[in-house]
Amino acid sequence: MRKIYVIGIGAGDPDHLTLQAAKAIGRTDVFFLLDKGDTKESLIELRRRLLKAYARPSRRIAEGRDPDRDRTPADYEGTIADWRHRRSEVTEALIREHLLDEETGAFLVWGDPSLYDSTISILDEILARGETTFSYEVIPGISSVSTLAAKHRVGLNRVGRPFQVTTGRRLAEQWPADVDDVIVMLDAHQTFGSVDAANVDIYWGAYLGTEDELLISGPLAEVGDEIRRVRAEARERHGWIMDTYLLRRRDADQADTRS
């Protein structure tokens, strides 16, 4: 039977590749890449560098076009479901055309495949259709969330207290209940600007782990405008941006010290 690896390759630093991931890359016959367009060519280029360093000389690359989707839909969940379905059709065609029986294929996934990535659900959808069969294994990677915390030298959780990972869309609805530490991903609209900035610190990062990495931290009321300016300039320069941030409410004694 055909086998597929879903390999987490980290947030952008080639040195974040784990030994497990490097060994899986070395066992792979065919790598599947979904092209996101010229503005994100650098994302594809990092994958090519990893293949050059760790893959077999005989490895093959099968490329497909990642379907476009509406970034400001009226029906968000319906739009995402449709996009994932179309993506699964592209992915299934690549597997059926390029991966032979008893061969091993792989998808190189940014960060960790289990955190805000659709590859696992897409492979499950393909298997559910029953027309293309394979087994698959997930290789964990270093996520952008872990990288953000490491770069800012902060722990994600405080003693005895939870944290929550959410999206900009959810944060715009409300700050999560009973949580003082919120990690925000997929925020194209800088939703941190809509929250009450009193006694809140932000730890922001973009292009984490890459040569273009940007880091800003401090009281939200003081650095929010700077983040918006730096983010806009970076997006204009590169044509795309991937960023995330941690919002942290200060304890009462911290608030008194910094006020």
Side-chain angles (χ1 to χ4, degrees):
M1 177 180 287
R2 291 173 287 199
K3 179 172 182 175
I4 292 175
Y5 288 119
V6 183
I7 304 174
I9 61 173
D13 186 342
D15 288 343
H16 284 178
L17 196 73
T18 67
L19 290 175
Q20 184 185 21
K23 290 176 181 178
I25 289 174
R27 292 192 292 267
T28 297
D29 301 297
V30 183
F31 293 89
F32 302 106
L33 301 180
L34 293 182
D35 183 8
K36 295 179 179 293
D38 293 340
T39 59
K40 295 190 178 181
E41 176 61 25
S42 59
L43 304 184
I44 296 292
E45 181 57 31
L46 175 62
R47 288 181 170 94
R48 293 194 180 110
R49 288 169 56 192
L50 294 177
L51 296 187
K52 184 177 181 180
Y54 299 105
R56 304 172 184 171
S58 60
R59 88 284 187 266
R60 309 190 305 276
I61 297 176
E63 295 192 48
R65 176 68 180 184
D66 199 12
D68 295 327
R69 68 178 176 89
D70 185 358
R71 296 290 173 174
T72 57
D75 177 12
Y76 179 77
E77 292 187 2
T79 299
I80 293 300
D82 174 69
W83 171 71
R84 286 190 173 184
H85 176 69
R86 289 184 288 117
R87 208 179 199 207
S88 77
E89 292 179 328
V90 173
T91 300
E92 184 170 15
L94 289 174
I95 294 171
R96 295 179 68 174
E97 181 177 352
H98 297 281
L99 190 61
L100 304 177
D101 287 342
E102 306 305 322
E103 283 193 324
T104 298
F107 292 88
L108 303 182
V109 174
W110 286 105
D112 183 274
S114 65
L115 183 63
Y116 285 98
D117 182 78
S118 63
T119 306
I120 293 173
S121 62
I122 284 171
L123 293 181
D124 285 340
E125 180 175 332
I126 293 171
L127 290 173
R129 286 198 285 264
E131 298 176 4
T132 303
T133 59
F134 53 85
S135 64
Y136 76 87
E137 179 180 347
V138 178
I139 309 296
I142 296 175
S143 70
S144 61
V145 173
S146 297
T147 304
L148 177 78
K151 293 292 185 175
H152 283 292
R153 296 180 297 177
V154 297
L156 292 175
N157 66 297
R158 289 182 277 183
V159 176
R161 296 160 72 171
F163 67 89
Q164 182 166 325
V165 181
T166 189
T167 65
R169 183 179 297 274
R170 291 293 188 183
L171 182 65
E173 297 172 359
Q174 64 177 3
W175 185 291
D178 302 320
V179 174
D180 292 322
D181 300 274
V182 181
I183 298 115
V184 183
M185 305 181 70
L186 306 179
D187 184 8
H189 303 291
Q190 302 96 73
T191 309
F192 57 79
S194 67
V195 306
D196 182 358
N199 300 327
V200 173
D201 291 326
I202 185 170
Y203 300 86
W204 175 84
Y207 312 108
L208 291 163
T210 74
E211 296 176 354
D212 300 309
E213 181 178 87
L214 298 169
L215 298 170
I216 298 174
S217 65
L220 178 57
E222 297 177 14
V223 302
D225 288 342
E226 179 186 2
I227 292 173
R228 280 187 282 269
R229 175 183 58 79
V230 170
R231 189 185 190 282
E233 291 174 353
R235 195 182 193 290
E236 177 68 22
R237 183 165 60 253
H238 296 288
W240 62 278
I241 190 167
M242 291 199 307
D243 62 335
T244 188
Y245 55 87
L246 165 66
L247 294 176
R248 170 159 287 170
R249 285 176 173 155
R250 286 178 235 125
D251 294 327
D253 55 344
Q254 294 175 308
D256 291 342
T257 300
R258 304 187 70 161
S259 61

